[in-house]
DNA sequence: CTCGTTGCAAACGGTTTGCACTTCT
DNA sequence: AGAAGTGCAAACCGTTTGCAACGAG
C-alpha cells in the first residue's frame, strides 16, 4: 500500500507525467478496494466522495496502473475488464462463481509446470496464461438446495 | 459434417423453427471453415458467395448453433466472441499466438484432474473452465529472429 | 394463411478519444 | 509559460434488437 503509492509516484516522475489530486484519489480508492473490480466499480466508489471526478479519468488512471505494473487487466468473460492489484502477490489463477460472481484465487505449481511442458512441446514461448474455473461456490450450492432447485 | 447438418435439422424441427436457405448456407460455411472464427469472420466468408445475407442472420444462426450444441462460444480476450465447432472432438484447451493469432489445441488429463481437486478443495462445483496459454508460436519466433528483434 | 425469419438500421454497453479548459511543475 | 491532465460528450466497436417485408410449412 505505502510502497504501491511510492511505486506509482516514481513511475509518473520517470515518464515525465504529473502527480495530480485525481490520481491520488483513484489510487487510494483502488488500494482500499477488494481486488477484481471493473472501471465502473471503481468509478462508483470514487464518485461517492468525489462526485466531480470523471469516468474517463478513472479509466485512464487504471491504464496507468497497468502500465506501471501496479495492476493487471483480467477478463472473466462477463464483458468487462477487471483490474487486479498485483501488489506483493505471486502468480495465481481464479475460481469464479457463476451465480454470485465471487472470485477466489488458487495457485498450483504442478499445473504451472505442466503448462510449461505443453507450451514447449508445441514449440511455443509462453508469455502468459489464463486459467479460470467456473462453477458454484459452496454458499450458492446451499442456497440452491434451500430453494429446492 | 453430414451428421452435424442432420443434428441441426432435428434441433430446428423439435423447436418448431424453420429450415431456411440462409441457415443452410451459414451452416455449410461454418462447417467448411477452420474453427475459432468470429461472427465477422463467418459473415465475410458467407458474404463472398451470398452478398445479400445480413450480419444479423449470421449472428443469430451462430447463437442457434450454440444452443443446439453444434458450437461453443469462446473468448480469447481479443474483444470478440469466437465460435468453435464441437463436432466429435473431446474437451481441449488452447494455445494462442499473440503475434499471428493462430490457435492450436491441447489436452492434458493430469491438468484436468488437478483442476477437479482444486475446485473440490474450495467447495466449488465446477461446471466449466477456461485454460489458455498465450505466447509466440514457433513460426513467429523464427520471424522475430530473422528481423533481428 | 400464419408464424417464424430476414435484412436493415438503429440501440446497446463497455471502452476509448477529441477538445476546450484547468492544473501541475 | 508550457506541457500534461481533466471532464464532458461524442465516437467506437462488437453485439443485440425492433420492425416491416418475406418465405417456409
Amino acid at each position: 500500500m505505502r510502497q504501491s503509492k511510492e511505486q506509482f509516484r516514481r513511475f509518473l516522475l520517470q515518464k515525465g507525467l504529473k502527480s495530480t489530486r485525481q490520481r491520488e484519489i483513484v489510487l487510494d480508492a483502488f488500494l482500499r478496494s477488494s481486488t477484481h473490480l471493473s472501471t465502473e466499480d471503481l468509478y462508483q466508489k470514487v464518485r461517492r466522495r468525489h462526485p466531480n471526478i470523471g469516468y474517463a479519468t478513472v479509466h485512464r488512471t487504471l491504464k496507468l496502473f497497468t502500465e506501471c505494473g501496479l495492476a493487471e487487466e483480467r477478463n472473466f468473460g462477463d464483458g468487462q475488464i477487471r483490474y487486479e492489484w498485483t501488489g506483493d502477490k505471486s502468480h495465481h489463477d481464479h475460481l469464479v462463481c457463476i451465480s454470485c460472481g465471487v472470485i477466489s484465487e488458487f495457485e498450483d505449481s504442478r499445473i504451472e509446470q505442466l503448462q510449461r511442458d505443453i507450451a514447449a512441446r508445441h514449440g511455443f514461448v509462453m508469455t502468459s496464461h489464463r486459467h479460470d474455473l467456473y462453477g458454484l461456490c459452496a454458499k450458492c450450492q446451499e442456497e440452491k438446495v434451500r430453494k429446492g432447485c
Side-chain angles (χ1 to χ4, degrees), chain A:
Chain A
M1 171 106 187
R2 182 95 267 129
Q3 70 244 42
S4 287
K5 294 193 175 184
E6 267 318 307
Q7 183 181 342
F8 190 50
R9 255 182 229 119
R10 259 182 284 119
F11 169 79
L12 293 175
L13 209 62
Q14 175 229 322
K15 281 263 185 178
L17 305 177
K18 290 172 181 170
S19 184
T20 65
R21 207 177 60 83
Q22 288 90 331
R23 285 177 179 165
E24 295 289 335
I25 291 167
V26 174
L27 178 55
D28 197 67
F30 183 60
L31 293 178
R32 287 176 187 285
S33 300
S34 69
T35 193
H36 306 120
L37 22 60
S38 64
T39 309
E40 182 66 26
D41 291 342
L42 187 55
Y43 172 57
Q44 290 305 337
K45 193 149 190 162
V46 162
R47 166 178 258 266
R48 281 206 285 277
R49 284 161 176 277
H50 306 275
N52 43 346
I53 287 191
Y55 185 96
T57 299
V58 174
H59 166 74
R60 289 187 277 229
T61 307
L62 280 169
K63 291 292 179 191
L64 285 178
F65 294 168
T66 305
E67 205 185 325
C68 93
L70 266 179
E72 273 180 24
E73 301 191 346
R74 301 266 180 205
N75 180 329
F76 295 111
D78 64 345
Q80 31 182 40
I81 300 172
R82 294 182 174 279
Y83 293 84
E84 173 165 18
W85 180 49
T86 45
D88 44 7
K89 287 190 281 187
S90 60
H91 171 77
H92 59 262
D93 295 298
H94 298 89
L95 278 150
V96 182
C97 178
I98 54 176
S99 175
C100 67
V102 72
I103 298 170
S104 31
E105 301 172 351
F106 71 90
E107 207 182 326
D108 191 301
S109 57
R110 290 164 301 174
I111 291 181
E112 303 288 326
Q113 183 57 51
L114 288 168
Q115 284 181 160
R116 282 191 291 272
D117 296 348
I118 288 162
R121 204 177 313 133
H122 283 76
F124 263 70
V125 173
M126 185 169 72
T127 53
S128 69
H129 68 267
R130 174 161 65 174
H131 195 180
D132 308 327
L133 312 185
Y134 297 90
L136 276 182
C137 70
K139 197 185 288 180
C140 289
Q141 288 167 50
E142 273 180 42
E143 240 156 73
K144 281 226 164 165
V145 172
R146 197 174 322 128
K147 287 180 184 165
C149 326

